[in-house]
Amino acid sequence: FYFLSSQYKQLRNSSTGGDDSRGGLNLKIIGNFRLPYTTFAEQQKIAAFFSNVDSIITAETKILNTLQKKKKALMQKLFTRQLRFKSADGTDFPTWEEKKLGEISSSPKYGLNASGIDYDGEHKYLRITDIDEVTHTFSPEEITTPSEFSDDYLLEENDIVFARTGASTGKTYLYNPNDGDLYFAGFLIKFHIKDANARFVFYQTCTHEYEKWVHVMSTRSGQPGINSEEYSTLKIKLPCIEEQQKIAYCLSSMDSLIQTQQNVVTTWQQRKKALLQQMFV
């Protein structure tokens, strides 16, 4: 099993369609697939070694999942006001108010309708598929550059983009300056937050309440979708700016823990992949 796990490309090349077309495997192809063979004792040692690596990956992934669940529970308590911060002098913050997204942001803007081309090393293109489902961060499998670009479509600090159509409708991303020059694609809508803490607003788009709103608002007779006018009506619960900052900082700290743990999991996964290649070279 561990050997075959290291032979994905070779198995694809052995399929009836080859590497570049839709093919398949059959009993004859698999039966004739050649593999290294050693003594049973060495097989056991190799299998036990990779089983231990898998156990580490499973344990680290469990920690990651626990952190993600804790963040979700914390968000629920914060945004339903079961858990409240206090001001520096120990007094309660004022009552929260409710505003529409369009009231706390500049006019929404649709993204750039251009195709993605090979990355030029400078200009990155943010598409719906480049936004991670869980972390809502820019996480492209392969960075691309828009075939046509204008600085009018560059994201800047305090920008939140929303997916406007298809199965990913409602997906959001808060621009991170560390992501560099980032142009946003046509299936995304940008709102520049100006009268609230952008990170605080963004975290409200990661809640179960927001997911329910998206489900209701995006339901159509055909493909799901939410346009800029509809997104502008999204209701945002707003405490005073000081409490917004405290909540945003608290959840950002959780995100840092989660990212650190995600890096641990990714590192072990990469180690396993490298070890498989070295073991079965």
Side-chain angles (χ1 to χ4, degrees):
F1 167 74
Y2 285 118
F3 168 70
L4 291 173
S5 297
S6 71
Q7 301 296 302
Y8 175 74
K9 288 186 178 179
Q10 290 82 349
L11 283 165
R12 280 189 62 86
N13 288 333
S14 298
S15 70
T16 55
D19 189 47
D20 297 324
S21 61
R22 186 178 180 86
L25 295 171
N26 55 41
L27 289 174
K28 183 178 179 181
I29 293 173
I30 296 174
N32 289 328
F33 195 79
R34 301 185 67 83
L35 66 157
Y37 196 78
T38 184
T39 64
F40 189 72
E42 189 172 7
Q43 291 178 40
Q44 286 179 311
K45 285 182 178 293
I46 293 171
F49 173 78
F50 283 110
S51 291
N52 287 335
V53 173
D54 277 344
S55 294
I56 293 172
I57 292 173
T58 298
E60 297 294 350
T61 301
K62 186 176 180 179
I63 294 172
L64 175 62
N65 292 337
T66 298
L67 286 171
Q68 290 171 338
K69 289 177 181 177
K70 286 184 175 180
K71 177 192 170 185
K72 189 173 183 180
L74 178 61
M75 287 176 63
Q76 176 68 17
K77 289 183 178 180
L78 287 170
F79 288 116
T80 57
R81 281 151 286 182
Q82 297 175 50
L83 180 63
R84 293 288 303 271
F85 287 96
K86 291 185 180 295
S87 62
D89 61 7
T91 59
D92 293 334
F93 284 118
T95 303
W96 291 28
E97 59 181 337
E98 191 173 79
K99 290 190 176 182
K100 295 177 181 178
L101 178 61
E103 295 176 319
I104 59 172
S105 62
S106 57
S107 299
K109 182 180 180 66
Y110 286 85
L112 178 66
N113 288 311
S115 57
I117 59 176
D118 289 341
Y119 181 46
D120 66 2
E122 182 179 359
H123 307 94
K124 300 175 185 176
Y125 198 29
L126 175 70
R127 301 156 299 180
I128 291 177
T129 53
D130 296 327
I131 302 173
D132 187 275
E133 291 280 359
V134 177
T135 64
H136 295 249
T137 57
F138 177 54
S139 181
E141 292 185 7
E142 184 178 349
I143 300 174
T144 60
T145 290
S147 53
E148 301 176 18
F149 50 87
S150 162
D151 287 352
D152 290 339
Y153 298 96
L154 268 176
L155 291 176
E156 59 184 4
E157 197 165 4
N158 298 327
D159 280 348
I160 302 176
V161 294
F162 296 75
R164 67 180 179 88
T165 189
S168 296
T169 299
K171 189 190 289 189
T172 59
Y173 161 77
L174 172 68
Y175 176 63
N176 183 347
N178 292 329
D179 288 335
D181 286 348
L182 196 55
Y183 299 82
F184 67 108
F187 288 118
L188 297 169
I189 305 172
K190 181 188 79 169
F191 285 82
H192 181 74
I193 307 302
K194 59 180 183 179
D195 293 323
N197 182 288
R199 185 164 292 277
F200 173 84
V201 175
F202 164 73
Y203 280 125
Q204 285 200 44
T205 70
C206 303
T207 62
H208 181 60
E209 184 176 0
Y210 171 74
E211 291 176 359
K212 291 193 295 183
W213 180 86
V214 168
H215 176 72
V216 172
M217 185 62 70
S218 66
T219 301
R220 308 203 188 289
S221 58
Q223 190 177 40
I226 301 177
N227 60 37
S228 61
E229 290 80 11
E230 292 166 331
Y231 270 124
S232 295
T233 67
L234 173 65
K235 293 179 180 178
I236 303 295
K237 298 171 183 175
L238 289 172
C240 67
I241 192 66
E242 187 179 351
E243 190 172 6
Q244 289 180 42
Q245 292 169 339
K246 285 181 177 290
I247 291 173
Y249 178 79
C250 173
L251 293 175
S252 292
S253 297
M254 281 294 298
D255 278 342
S256 295
L257 289 174
I258 290 170
Q259 186 58 58
T260 297
Q261 186 60 28
Q262 178 64 68
N263 292 341
V264 171
V265 172
T266 301
T267 297
W268 274 105
Q269 290 171 334
Q270 292 172 342
R271 284 175 180 170
K272 177 187 173 183
K273 185 177 181 179
L275 287 166
L276 283 168
Q277 292 299 320
Q278 293 171 23
M279 183 67 72
F280 297 114
V281 65

